Amino acid sequence: MRSRSDPVLRVLLLAVLLTAVPPAPAQEAQHGGVLRVALIGEPPTLDQHWTTAHIVGNIMHHVTEGLFALNGDLAPRPMLADRWFIAADRRLYRIGLRQGVRFHSGKELTSEDVVASLERWGRVASFGQIMFANVTAVVAVDRYTIEVKLREPYGLLVEQLAFPTQAAVIFPKEVVDEAAGGMIKRFIGTGPYRFVEHLPDRHIRLDRFEGYQSRVEAPDGATGRKRAFFDRIYFLPVPDAAVRVAGVQRGDYEFAENIPTDEQSRLQHHRGVVAIPGTVPWRLYAILNNRRGPMAETKIRKAFQTALDYRAILQGTFGSEGFWRLEPSLMPKGTPMWTEAGKEHYNRNDPARAQRLLAEAGYRGEPIRWLTTMEFPHLGISAQIAKPALERAGFTIELQFTDWATLVQRRVRPELWDVFSAQGGFVPDPTFLVELQPTWPGWFDHPDMRAMLTLLRRHGRPSVRSAIWQRAQATWYEAAGSVKFGDFFPLHVRRPELQGYTFPHHHVFWNAWLGR
C-alpha cells in the first residue's frame, strides 16, 4: 500500500533525518553491555496512551509496538500489522496481523488484544478520542484480522495509528482489562526490550527480550528490523543539565538528552563526547488556557501574543542563530503544508497595543500562573525572558517552576494554571498538532478550526488540503489559541562508543550497540 505522502516532502525529510546524526565509524555490531541514558527527569507515567509527553515514548517505544510505525521519511509502514485493505469508500479498514508475535509474557498477539488496546486508546488518548469520534466499531474478524468501521471517510487512519506521540500501542487484553478506567498497571508489550522495574527518581530498567519476533525488512526510522544488542538499558532521571553533560564526559552515561545549546562549542573538542545537534525543527510555545481563568478571554490572549519580542526570547534562550529561527508556520519550511498565513499576528512586539487590549478586556492585574520547568532548560529560560516584557505591558506574571512530570500532571487540570511552557516535535501532517486539538491541555476549541481539521482528515488532494490548512493556521493566530515563539533545534550528546544511535521521532536504541 503506497503512502499518499508528497514525494518532495519524503525526499526532503529523508535528507534531513539522515544528516541529523554524524555517521558512526564502521564497526561490527556487538551484543552485550549495559546502556545508561540520562533523561531530563522522571516521566509522568509509563502509559503511552495516557500522555503526549515525549519522554514517555523515548522510554516505552523499546517495550511496546503499534500496528504501524513511521519510517525514516515519516511514511507509515506495518509493524505488528502484516497487510491492510481500505474499502473504496474509505469507511472500512481491514488489518491483518503478523502471526507468531509474542508478548513479553509469552502469550501470542491476537486480534482480541488489538481490539481491546485500540478501544482503550480511543477512550483515553487525545488523538484516539478524535479518531474514535468517527469510528462506529473495531471488531475482530478472526484470530489475526480486525476491521475498523467509520461513519465518514478518514484519509489519515493508518498515519494516525503510526504516529509515535501518544501512540496507539498494543497491550495484552488482560492488561487493558486490569487498568479499567485508570492507567496501565503492567507494562507488557511486544518490543525488543521488556520492562523490568521502575524505581521513581532512580531508574527505569529494560532487559533484552530474548523471544522478540523482529520484522525482516531493513531498519528504516522506527520501522523494519529491530535488534536488541544491549543486555540491559537504564533510563536515569537527571534533572540538572550540567550533571548530564558531566556524566557523559566521565563515562557515567553513554547518552544524555537536551543539553543547553551553548555547550556545543565547548564539547566539540572533548574526545569523550560526541555532540548531536538536531536538524529537524521543534516548536517552542507558551500554551494558553482557553477554557478557564483570564486566558479564556480572547483579548487577553491576544495581548499576551502581541506584547512579546520573540526574537529576544529565542536569542536569549538558545544563543547562536544556528539553534533557532523566527518562523510563524506551524509546519516546517520546505514541506508542502508550510504557510505564512497569520504572520501579521506573529512577533508583534507591541506592548502599547497589548496594554490597550488588556484595558478593553477589563483585566485588573489578576495573577497569570505560568507553569514551567528547568528540566528542559529552554522552557524555563524562555519564560523568565518573557516575564518582564509581559509585566511592562500590564500583566501580573507568576512563574511556577516544577519538574516536568509534575507539570504534565498539573496541565490536565484547567483550574491550576493559565499558561504552561511546551515544545512540539515534527509531525507528518497538521492534523497531528496537539496545540490545535480541543481535547489537549490548552483546550483550543474553535468551531471553524474543528470544521477545517475534519475537512483535512477527509481530503487527499494536496492543493485542497493546502488551501484548507492556510485558513486553519490563520484562524489559530487570529484567535491567539496559544503563542509559538519560533523553531529550535535540540542538542543531545553521546559517548563515542555508543554506535548505531538514531533519532527518527524519539530516541531509538534498538540496533545500537557499544563499540570499542
Side-chain angles (χ1 to χ4, degrees), residues 332-513:
K333 187 170 289 187
T335 63
M337 299 295 264
W338 177 87
T339 176
E340 292 188 306
K343 70 176 182 179
E344 64 272 18
H345 302 288
Y346 179 78
N347 194 28
R348 290 289 299 271
N349 188 21
D350 190 345
R353 174 170 170 74
Q355 286 180 332
R356 292 195 297 272
L357 287 167
L358 288 178
E360 292 170 10
Y363 176 71
R364 300 183 181 278
E366 300 94 324
I368 303 298
R369 299 160 299 170
W370 187 335
L371 294 178
T372 191
T373 183
M374 288 302 295
E375 290 188 347
F376 289 107
H378 50 279
L379 299 187
I381 292 170
S382 58
Q384 292 175 77
I385 296 171
K387 180 178 187 290
L390 290 166
E391 291 175 337
R392 286 193 293 271
F395 282 97
T396 302
I397 301 296
E398 180 184 296
L399 294 183
Q400 298 181 0
F401 287 88
T402 184
D403 59 271
W404 180 242
T406 300
L407 189 154
V408 170
Q409 291 165 355
R410 288 184 182 177
R411 73 186 185 186
V412 301
R413 298 178 58 186
E415 74 276 11
L416 295 182
W417 61 275
D418 304 298
V419 182
F420 74 83
S421 300
Q423 57 186 359
F426 187 87
V427 297
D429 190 84
T431 58
F432 298 156
L433 291 163
V434 293
E435 57 271 27
L436 306 183
Q437 313 303 330
T439 56
W440 192 72
W443 301 287
F444 179 62
D445 193 5
H446 192 289
D448 292 345
M449 180 62 74
R450 275 186 274 127
M452 286 182 281
L453 289 177
T454 298
L455 290 172
L456 282 170
R457 294 183 183 106
R458 288 179 184 168
H459 285 284
R461 185 178 301 174
S463 60
V464 173
R465 299 188 85 247
S466 178
I468 295 169
W469 171 239
Q470 288 181 41
R471 290 171 51 203
Q473 181 172 291
T475 297
W476 186 75
Y477 271 106
E478 289 162 6
S482 282
V483 171
K484 179 192 175 186
F485 297 132
D487 289 347
F488 72 97
F489 302 87
L491 179 66
H492 311 301
V493 294
R494 65 173 173 86
R495 296 285 303 174
E497 55 267 29
L498 174 59
Q499 302 291 309
Y501 164 80
T502 60
F503 185 56
H505 328 296
H506 289 76
H507 301 312
V508 168
F509 298 108
W510 59 75
N511 298 333
W513 71 95

Side-chain angles (χ1 to χ4, degrees), residues 29-74:
Q30 303 175 37
H31 278 87
V34 175
L35 176 69
R36 296 158 300 178
V37 178
L39 301 175
I40 59 96
E42 182 72 13
T45 175
L46 295 179
D47 185 346
Q48 289 156 280
H49 289 178
W50 205 265
T51 180
T52 59
H54 279 76
I55 189 173
V56 180
N58 283 336
I59 301 166
M60 297 304 290
H61 280 313
H62 298 81
V63 175
T64 59
E65 296 174 313
L67 295 176
F68 301 89
L70 297 179
N71 70 2
D73 58 0
L74 300 179

Side-chain angles (χ1 to χ4, degrees), residues 48-49 63-68 80-81 97 103-104 109-119 121 146 161 167-173 175-176 184 187-191:
Q48 289 156 280
H49 289 178
V63 175
T64 59
E65 296 174 313
L67 295 176
F68 301 89
L80 295 176
L97 307 179
F103 286 106
H104 302 150
L109 168 78
T110 68
S111 56
E112 71 170 7
D113 305 302
V114 176
V115 170
S117 296
L118 292 184
E119 288 181 341
W121 178 74
I146 70 159
L161 293 178
V169 296
I170 306 303
F171 300 105
K173 180 180 184 300
V175 167
V176 173
I184 291 292
F187 299 102
I188 298 174
T190 59

Side-chain angles (χ1 to χ4, degrees), residues 1-3 10 67-71 75-79 84 162 223:
M1 181 74 58
R2 292 186 62 186
S3 167
R10 294 173 64 185
L67 295 176
F68 301 89
L70 297 179
N71 70 2
R77 293 291 181 266
M79 181 51 64
W84 71 102
T223 68

